[in-house]
Amino acid sequence: MSFRQRYTGLIERYRDRLPVHDDTRIISLGEGNTPLIRLHNIPSMLGKNVDIYVKYEGLNPTGSFKDRGMTMAVTKAVEEGSKAIICASTGNTSASAAAYAARAGITAFVLIPDGKIAQGKLAQAMMEGAVIVQIMGNFDDGMRLVKEVAVESPVTIVNSINPFRLQGQKTAAFEIVEELGRAPDYHCLPVGNAGNITAHWIGYSEYACGEAESVTAACTLCQGHCRFAGAITGQRPKMVGYQASGSAPFMRGKMVDNPETVATAIRIGHPQSWDQAWIVNKESGGWFDECTDDEILEAQKLLAEREGVFCEPASATSLAGAMRDIKSGKIEASSTVVCTLTGHGLKDPDTAIAQSTAPVVKVEAKLDQVKKAIHDNLG
Ligand code: AN7
């Protein structure tokens, strides 16, 4: 009998494309290798001939795409002798940092905005033994403080300003190209700090690079970490970034000081990868746009109801925007579109339950009443 080789995470899988050595101790929870699900019902609802795939990053070990970056960042922090990591977070980064720190046997400090993170994420960080610092401020305040404190204290920052984070996250693009056999025409993502859209562009670019003998066009985004730096010979998608209207600095063309949105994961007004994201925008020929909270929640619900895929509100921003741009024709017919679903729906049960209109029928524990409930609700 033969067994398929055990999957042991994205660093092992893409070792030759990541900054690790043969003897590097890899801190992994088996992240990556997430499903790319082809939507069946939503495209026909839109009445357009497009192929929409969702990359379900909510199925990573801690339920979000952050694990791709965190396995790399924590692996490198440990390699460099760090005993503690720190991040500011709207929730998912803290859950991921806490888990990988626990795995590595080091300490995680997480700065979270008081009262503005989803329950699931808080539960994770608490269970995984992080030191939780709740600040009376938002993510952007936390990020500023993290940068300041790291100057003096022996802690490694694991927010996406840590270049190893983007190196890990670029592997999502590799998986997509390998599965589709080519890059999609459009790749849509929710944008907060814009680290993930930048990481995907690095990934697609690296994959589309010829293996040049000499470096002809050094990548402006990867900060020297890409192994391949030849001229771009392959196809790359247009990168489309969607923000929540109440926290859409890329649409305003400037930082937003008091960001608000139901999609707390992307309640970010001062994106850390501002310059990089504009480069991605320009190089890929894509665009930024915004979605209202109502559009975001509607897309979240539609995806769950029509396709059985449950993502958190921020994640649905990619689909909300894509659906609008497909309907308007901005995303042309016959295109292949990938939408990243950055986090799992279970992260934020409160928002889900609050907006659900699912028929909850309360009955006595009697056969006739259950029968009636079925009869009344048969589609
Ligand atoms: C579900 O956890 O910034 O544009 O501190 O959790 O790369 O910032 C989360 C970001 C999208 C935005 N979707 O990604 C944090 C944090 C979900 C997220 C984003 C986040 P970036």
Side-chain angles (χ1 to χ4, degrees):
M1 228 195 319
S2 76
F3 292 92
R4 229 183 63 172
Q5 203 189 337
R6 211 166 77 81
Y7 181 83
T8 53
L10 60 87
I11 297 183
E12 287 294 2
R13 174 150 173 202
Y14 294 111
R15 179 176 260 289
D16 60 336
R17 290 171 175 267
L18 291 167
V20 285
H21 307 286
D22 289 346
D23 57 356
T24 302
R25 178 185 157 211
I26 291 166
I27 313 297
S28 169
L29 291 165
E31 58 295 309
N33 199 21
T34 56
L36 185 65
I37 303 168
R38 189 174 181 201
L39 299 189
H40 285 153
N41 303 319
I42 290 176
S44 52
M45 260 181 59
L46 296 174
K48 297 278 185 174
N49 172 31
V50 285
D51 250 343
I52 310 176
Y53 294 85
V54 291
K55 180 74 168 156
Y56 197 12
E57 292 286 277
L59 290 196
N60 275 296
T62 76
S64 86
F65 72 97
K66 303 287 181 182
D67 296 340
R68 288 185 188 272
M70 207 55 73
T71 184
M72 237 0 276
V74 174
T75 291
K76 293 307 278 188
V78 168
E79 185 172 64
E80 286 158 10
S82 180
K83 296 276 182 283
I85 58 174
I86 190 167
C87 65
S89 180
T90 57
N92 280 324
T93 303
S94 66
S96 186
Y100 285 83
R103 183 83 163 159
I106 61 174
T107 306
F109 296 96
V110 303
L111 274 67
I112 56 171
D114 192 15
K116 290 284 185 179
I117 92 166
Q119 283 294 308
K121 304 172 188 180
L122 186 58
Q124 288 178 292
M126 291 173 79
M127 284 300 285
E128 293 156 0
V131 179
I132 297 166
V133 184
Q134 256 177 334
I135 56 165
M136 320 268 222
N138 60 25
F139 169 86
D140 303 306
D141 297 317
M143 195 63 239
R144 176 176 46 78
L145 291 163
V146 161
K147 285 180 182 169
E148 284 170 16
V149 80
V151 175
E152 302 280 325
S153 310
V155 288
T156 303
I157 299 177
V158 293
N159 282 102
S160 55
I161 56 171
N162 177 328
F164 298 121
R165 276 277 310 274
L166 301 194
Q167 285 298 300
Q169 286 170 219
K170 75 182 179 184
T171 59
F174 296 169
E175 290 175 13
I176 291 165
V177 177
E178 284 169 4
E179 199 159 333
L180 295 178
R182 59 181 276 254
D185 300 307
Y186 296 89
H187 191 129
C188 305
L189 295 112
V191 169
N193 277 304
N196 210 25
I197 196 168
T198 303
H200 277 76
W201 187 241
I202 292 172
Y204 283 121
S205 299
E206 198 175 317
Y207 226 86
C209 262
E211 267 186 79
E213 284 288 312
S214 60
V215 174
T216 51
C219 172
T220 38
L221 296 171
C222 76
Q223 303 181 25
H225 289 291
C226 281
R227 191 163 154 264
F228 305 98
I232 301 291
T233 53
Q235 184 227 342
R236 294 181 292 178
K238 289 187 168 61
M239 303 298 294
V240 185
Y242 296 110
Q243 299 209 281
S245 296
S247 38
F250 285 103
M251 294 306 293
R252 308 292 165 259
K254 61 176 171 41
M255 302 298 169
V256 170
D257 280 338
N258 292 301
E260 270 311 335
T261 169
V262 68
T264 52
I266 51 172
R267 187 169 165 268
I268 295 166
H270 291 237
Q272 297 299 309
S273 295
W274 176 261
D275 294 340
Q276 294 91 321
W278 283 115
I279 293 172
V280 172
N281 179 268
K282 193 160 154 271
E283 285 186 0
S284 79
W287 60 87
F288 292 112
D289 208 337
E290 62 191 280
C291 301
T292 64
D293 280 3
D294 283 349
E295 286 176 306
I296 292 170
L297 293 178
E298 212 174 290
Q300 183 197 18
K301 190 150 168 268
L302 191 72
L303 189 61
E305 271 182 10
R306 299 297 175 97
E307 305 280 358
V309 179
F310 188 24
C311 68
E312 68 170 288
S315 308
T317 311
S318 58
L319 183 68
M323 288 195 303
R324 196 174 58 206
D325 286 336
I326 288 167
K327 270 194 246 169
S328 77
K330 193 168 181 183
I331 292 178
E332 307 97 343
S334 308
S335 299
T336 298
V337 183
V338 172
C339 294
T340 296
L341 301 180
T342 42
H344 201 290
L346 291 173
K347 291 274 191 175
D348 189 354
D350 299 321
T351 305
I353 291 169
Q355 74 140 332
S356 172
T357 51
V360 180
V361 189
K362 211 166 179 177
V363 298
E364 284 175 49
K366 290 186 177 149
L367 182 60
D368 59 332
Q369 295 210 11
V370 176
K371 265 190 185 163
K372 183 174 183 313
I374 291 172
H375 178 82
D376 290 350
N377 287 284
L378 270 179

